[in-house]
Amino acid sequence: MDRQSRIVILTGAGISAESGVPTFRGPDGLWEGHRVEDVATPEAFARNPALVQAFYDARRARLADVAPNAAHIALGRLDSAWPGELLIVTQNVDDLHERGGALRLVHMHGELLSAWCTACDTRHRWQGPLGSFPPCPACGAPQLRPDIVWFGEMPYAMNRILRSLARCDLFVAIGTSGQVYPAAGFVETAREAGARTLELNLDPSAMSARFHESRLGRAGTLVPALVDELLA
Ligand code: APR
């Protein structure tokens, strides 16, 4: 890669695992004890808003106890030092990339630290709980929901992401199981654009065979090594 190369990096739950944020697909198929359909769909929220708010309130509160790891920090270093185009696309809803120094970043699945008012369609930085249905700071309606893209909803920033993928020279996926679309299909889009594709993951993922190269190991080790390589 020369220093004007255009890079897109996709991250998933695996990059935050070493910070102590649990991944989604544990061996028991449950997500922190819940079936995904019970907490991460618009239908679940309509059926049992208190359960869904409590689930995300707990995850939001836990952000205060976790810190970015060597992988987040290495990507922050890459972002500040890379002169070419770069886009970090995360499926994660934590704020560890920001705290690791990443600026050229999009949260395609939303953010725990944002609340979305479904009455007036405004978004607000949010640190506290939503379970008591506090009033929206803009319109006062008690209709704030987690600003999270649930199953069946459209991921954010897709135009920007697809534009970057269509012109990238290198696509890297880090810590994602490759089971959730559209993110799982990004490797294909990047290949069609002629990009080199590289996967960094603890285990082989559902998409490993589609990458030119897969490196197996912990993100906290592999990502700093990759960033050193790119910046050498
Ligand atoms: N380093 C690198 N990879 C790791 C590490 C680690 N320390 N620990 C776990 N992994 C890998 C796992 O092997 C797995 O392949 O990270 C991957 C995590 O996969 P998932 O839990 O399925 O997470 P992700 O791919 O981000 O899920 C995608 O699914 O539920 C939805 O919206 C949610 O954004 C999420 C999406």
Side-chain angles (χ1 to χ4, degrees):
M1 291 293 123
D2 71 55
R3 296 189 140 242
Q4 288 311 315
S5 297
R6 295 175 283 233
I7 305 177
V8 176
I9 297 176
L10 171 70
T11 70
I15 199 169
S16 295
E18 288 158 68
S19 294
V21 180
T23 57
F24 291 94
R25 291 173 182 76
D28 52 7
L30 294 181
W31 180 10
E32 296 190 20
H34 296 275
R35 293 185 319 145
V36 164
E37 316 81 82
D38 291 338
V39 287
T41 62
E43 294 76 19
F45 188 57
R47 200 166 48 236
N48 192 344
L51 169 74
V52 174
Q53 294 283 26
F55 178 79
Y56 287 100
D57 281 353
R59 293 175 69 84
R60 191 179 308 106
R62 227 177 299 148
L63 288 183
D65 305 325
V66 298
N69 64 52
H72 299 105
I73 291 165
L75 291 185
R77 184 159 59 90
L78 180 67
D79 191 348
S80 57
W82 190 251
E85 282 180 30
L86 171 78
L87 184 64
I88 301 169
V89 180
T90 187
Q91 299 169 85
N92 298 342
V93 296
D94 63 51
D95 63 339
L96 295 179
H97 279 302
E98 289 91 329
R99 287 199 259 155
L103 293 173
R104 291 180 272 180
L105 171 74
V106 295
H107 278 274
M108 66 177 289
H109 290 168
E111 296 174 64
L112 282 169
L113 295 179
S114 175
W116 173 24
C117 177
T118 55
C120 70
D121 194 24
T122 54
R123 288 175 165 81
H124 306 274
R125 298 313 294 167
W126 206 267
Q127 303 272 353
L130 291 171
S132 57
F133 287 92
C136 165
C139 74
Q143 274 175 247
L144 293 168
R145 60 163 264 188
D147 191 8
I148 303 284
V149 177
W150 287 325
F151 287 93
E153 297 182 326
M154 176 70 100
Y156 294 150
M158 283 307 293
N159 287 342
R160 181 173 174 199
I161 295 168
L162 292 174
R163 263 200 315 273
S164 294
L165 284 170
R167 49 191 268 127
C168 73
D169 303 298
L170 173 68
F171 172 72
V172 187
I174 303 168
T176 176
S177 62
Q179 297 188 51
V180 174
Y181 283 82
F186 289 173
V187 60
E188 221 52 72
T189 313
R191 284 186 76 123
E192 280 163 21
R196 172 138 192 99
T197 57
L198 169 65
E199 174 182 64
L200 310 180
N201 210 47
L202 192 59
D203 314 293
S205 76
M207 299 308 281
S208 289
R210 299 305 305 144
F211 286 82
H212 292 106
E213 183 186 349
S214 276
R215 299 181 187 170
L216 294 186
R218 291 154 66 94
T221 309
L222 295 179
V223 180
L226 174 68
V227 169
D228 287 345
E229 250 175 71
L230 288 169
L231 294 178

